[in-house]
Amino acid sequence: MKFINIPKNGASWGGELLCSFATELDKPSDVQVIVRDADTNEEFGRMRLYSVIGGTVDIAPAVRRKMSHEPPSSATPQIIPSRAMCRVIVEVEGVSSPTITLFRASYNPVVHSVLSSMSTECGIASGDTLRFTLNVVKGATITVVELTDLRPRQIANLSYSAQSQVVEVVVPIGNLSKEADKVVVSISNGIATDRAEYRVVERTEGSRKLLWYNANGGIESYIFPYSRLLERRADVSTIRTATKQHARLNSAESRVRLTSAVLQLREQERLAEILRSPYIFEERSDTILGVDLPSRELRYDDHGALKRLSLDIVEEWKGGGL
């Protein structure tokens, strides 16, 4: 038995992952294909092919079922190996393939890169969490400081050493000094340094922060400063007995419209990726919740070259309020 083709390191489990093999037998036979985690030996899935001398199978569905889609949380600054990255082997009749490293989106395992856009347009406030995704080739150092009259105060100083590892950087900002006007992030791989400056802002009442992953597999976020309740719906069934009837609440939901600040074109394009991202989340304090975006529409409110964007989210209505 030999492998003719396997997916390349850095391939995405979001698309096809074709694996081809030949039994090298004179007669057809039944063949069992198993996909395993290379580090834990956990079985991701298996399939049986009947009366073959070779074949091609797509291992992506088995891998996708085991992958985590939710961004990680942390109460302290952390660099966390991506739960969307895995190393797998394909086993055919006891013969194992070389290890294959896969991720949410295709990436180059030998090029250090920031996979998130590091957009600074919506600023940052006390209590926010700074998030971004890195492809670390050998090592990375991340520092986060607040600037008070141009004097830095350190918020986080993190380092990570790995061989071709995608990681999530999570930095809770906590309470910023009253005099702070900027939060500065520096990301170094020992050769070059990426730098991003966030202006310190006040979160408005009713603001909502959404998270999603971009086409590179990097985490993105935006704080929509305005939200407005549009409607509430309830699904109720009537139950009748011999002496009375009453209504039973089956489910209830609200539709809320989120509206952005006035945006530059580049930021409009970044937010438009929400439409294509298969998983959207909302960050509320230390909790990350899945978001239902059934319409997948963005509305553009013109202001010349600048625009406001708005979108509707549907969420469970747990009662209370008018």
Side-chain angles (χ1 to χ4, degrees), residues 53-101:
I53 59 173
T56 299
V57 296
D58 181 9
I59 66 170
V63 176
R64 278 196 293 269
R65 286 195 295 268
K66 295 291 185 178
M67 289 295 93
S68 172
H69 305 287
E70 183 176 302
S73 292
S74 175
T76 59
Q78 296 282 341
I79 300 178
I80 303 170
S82 173
R83 294 179 296 190
M85 189 174 190
C86 64
R87 299 177 350 116
V88 304
I89 57 172
V90 181
E91 184 180 298
V92 181
E93 292 301 298
V95 178
S96 297
S97 71
T99 298
I100 311 160
T101 303

Side-chain angles (χ1 to χ4, degrees), residues 114-135:
V114 183
L115 302 180
S116 301
S117 67
M118 298 296 291
S119 172
T120 63
E121 188 156 332
C122 65
I124 201 162
S126 293
D128 282 348
T129 298
L130 176 68
R131 297 173 174 276
F132 52 92
T133 308
L134 291 179
N135 175 29

Side-chain angles (χ1 to χ4, degrees), residues 262-279:
V262 177
L263 303 174
Q264 301 282 349
L265 177 60
R266 180 177 177 179
E267 189 72 347
Q268 295 169 32
E269 293 174 344
R270 185 178 78 92
L271 263 64
E273 287 206 61
I274 290 176
L275 301 184
R276 299 191 298 270
S277 188
Y279 303 98

Side-chain angles (χ1 to χ4, degrees), residues 58-280:
D58 181 9
I59 66 170
V63 176
R64 278 196 293 269
R65 286 195 295 268
K66 295 291 185 178
M67 289 295 93
S68 172
H69 305 287
E70 183 176 302
S73 292
S74 175
T76 59
Q78 296 282 341
I79 300 178
I80 303 170
S82 173
R83 294 179 296 190
M85 189 174 190
C86 64
R87 299 177 350 116
V88 304
I89 57 172
V90 181
E91 184 180 298
V92 181
E93 292 301 298
V95 178
S96 297
S97 71
T99 298
I100 311 160
T101 303
L102 306 170
F103 182 53
R104 174 182 283 108
S106 298
Y107 77 106
N108 187 338
V110 298
V111 176
H112 173 92
S113 56
V114 183
L115 302 180
S116 301
S117 67
M118 298 296 291
S119 172
T120 63
E121 188 156 332
C122 65
I124 201 162
S126 293
D128 282 348
T129 298
L130 176 68
R131 297 173 174 276
F132 52 92
T133 308
L134 291 179
N135 175 29
V136 179
V137 175
K138 292 183 179 180
T141 300
I142 296 101
T143 59
V144 181
V145 300
E146 67 168 21
L147 294 185
T148 305
D149 296 329
L150 301 181
R151 294 192 302 272
R153 183 184 72 87
Q154 185 171 285
I155 296 173
N157 186 6
L158 303 170
S159 60
Y160 192 84
S161 178
Q163 189 69 35
S164 300
Q165 174 75 55
V166 176
V167 299
E168 304 284 357
V169 181
V170 182
V171 181
I173 295 303
N175 292 322
L176 295 169
S177 303
K178 292 181 180 180
E179 298 81 12
D181 54 12
K182 287 183 180 179
V183 171
V184 180
V185 182
S186 299
I187 307 163
S188 173
N189 65 350
I191 300 174
T193 299
D194 295 291
R195 179 184 170 94
E197 294 187 359
Y198 297 82
R199 72 186 188 281
V200 175
V201 299
E202 292 288 335
R203 286 285 291 269
T204 58
E205 184 177 356
S207 63
R208 310 276 293 264
K209 183 178 183 179
L210 295 191
L211 308 173
W212 68 97
Y213 283 95
N214 63 27
N216 295 322
I219 190 71
E220 299 287 345
S221 67
Y222 182 77
I223 299 170
F224 286 83
Y226 314 108
S227 63
R228 178 165 62 93
L229 177 65
L230 298 181
E231 65 178 355
R232 283 174 170 160
R233 296 176 179 270
D235 177 22
V236 179
S237 58
T238 300
I239 299 176
R240 294 180 174 86
T241 66
T243 58
K244 61 179 180 179
Q245 80 174 38
H246 64 274
R248 181 177 67 187
L249 177 64
N250 298 319
S251 63
E253 64 184 28
S254 301
R255 186 159 65 96
V256 178
R257 179 158 296 169
L258 308 185
T259 304
S260 75
V262 177
L263 303 174
Q264 301 282 349
L265 177 60
R266 180 177 177 179
E267 189 72 347
Q268 295 169 32
E269 293 174 344
R270 185 178 78 92
L271 263 64
E273 287 206 61
I274 290 176
L275 301 184
R276 299 191 298 270
S277 188
Y279 303 98
I280 316 295

